[in-house]
Amino acid sequence: MRPFLQGSLGSLKIPMLYDTGSSITCISENTFRRLPPDIRPIKQPVRLESKFQTAGGQNLRVRGLYNIPLKILDKTVTHPVYVISDLNEQGIIGI
């Protein structure tokens, strides 16, 4: 069984996979589009050398980087979150 935590991005609640093998926190592009446009944060610059892969070695397509208030277990932090096309999960919490 994979470990999921309930996360909140503003008023949007989603299950987020707690992935100790991930070095980034990310959400799917579909999840990002569910955020109301008026609360979406400003897109941050992504370094050109920032390339990420799945555990199976497939390249992930980064659509953007945003500093998003993320609430988990009654704690809210503004955290850098990558938006990834075709991500299999709604969200992944990396460490």
Side-chain angles (χ1 to χ4, degrees), residues 23-70:
S23 61
I24 64 169
T25 296
C26 55
I27 59 174
S28 70
E29 187 173 7
N30 289 339
T31 298
F32 182 78
R33 293 194 183 285
R34 290 175 41 210
L35 289 172
D38 58 322
I39 68 161
R40 290 182 191 164
I42 296 171
K43 190 174 188 178
Q44 302 297 308
V46 178
R47 295 191 324 235
L48 292 177
E49 66 271 11
S50 295
K51 296 194 190 276
F52 304 109
Q53 295 183 329
T54 65
Q58 297 167 330
N59 289 328
L60 294 172
R61 196 163 132 221
V62 176
R63 303 295 291 166
L65 172 63
Y66 299 85
N67 290 319
I68 298 178
L70 175 62

